[in-house]
Amino acid sequence: MAEFDAFTALVESPVYVVTTAVGGNRAGCLVGFAGQCSLKPARFVVWLSKANHTYLLAREAEVLVVHLLPGRHDLAAHFGALCGAAVDKFADVPWSEGPDKAPVLTDALAWFAGRILHRVDGGDHVAFLLDPITTHAPHTTSGTTPPLSLHDTLDITAGHPA
């Protein structure tokens, strides 16, 4: 396992905040395991921890919103270190209602909403295969802050129960 940890330590992956809503309840969490997995048709996969409050809602959701974060460690810590079962993560964060009533973070660098096509159990995380239905991204990356990376957030302790 140490060799695999050394391998993954070389990868500079972005982190995401994933949000959803079901039956008037909202949830969102910091996600380090995600990425595009198909070009045609366009597909993206997000892995949610089974210990996470967002996962509990996502099991019943039809749509997830995936946000790329600008260099905002505070925003990552907010969604990564707090437990959504204990606190409303959206109370102090600017957001608007997006597709299927899922929260869209105002301060995101870019975001897309994806319809959930499949859920696949992968161990302590479940993969949610998404079909992008709505995207908001800058038309140019000139002058844009690079997305926050996994290495930028290694100091955040997960707020969900172990």
Side-chain angles (χ1 to χ4, degrees):
M1 186 55 126
E3 292 85 7
F4 185 68
D5 289 343
F7 175 87
T8 59
L10 296 172
V11 179
E12 187 67 77
S13 302
V15 291
Y16 306 89
V17 169
V18 174
T19 60
T20 194
V22 175
N25 297 310
R26 297 181 304 266
C29 65
L30 186 66
V31 171
F33 305 140
Q36 186 173 355
C37 58
S38 176
L39 295 172
K40 292 183 183 179
R43 297 289 185 260
F44 196 90
V45 67
V46 172
W47 292 86
L48 298 179
S49 168
K50 292 178 183 177
N52 196 299
H53 177 70
T54 303
Y55 164 73
L56 298 177
L57 260 66
R59 292 184 308 179
E60 306 300 321
E62 293 184 24
V63 170
L64 298 179
V65 178
V66 180
H67 304 80
L68 266 175
L69 300 180
R72 294 268 317 268
H73 186 275
D74 63 316
L75 197 54
H78 183 81
F79 280 93
L82 299 176
C83 178
V87 64
D88 180 359
K89 293 183 183 183
F90 301 94
D92 298 322
V93 174
W95 64 278
S96 62
E97 194 171 275
D100 207 37
K101 301 186 185 274
V104 173
L105 303 179
T106 304
D107 294 339
L109 180 63
W111 62 270
F112 79 91
R115 186 156 318 283
I116 300 170
L117 297 177
H118 299 287
R119 295 166 177 87
V120 179
D121 191 318
D124 61 358
H125 284 66
V126 172
F128 289 77
L129 180 64
L130 304 178
D131 174 18
I133 55 174
T134 304
T135 302
H136 174 76
H139 290 19
T140 177
T141 56
S142 176
T144 303
T145 304
L148 202 64
S149 74
L150 184 59
H151 290 133
D152 295 330
T153 61
L154 292 176
D155 63 321
I156 299 172
T157 302
H160 59 71

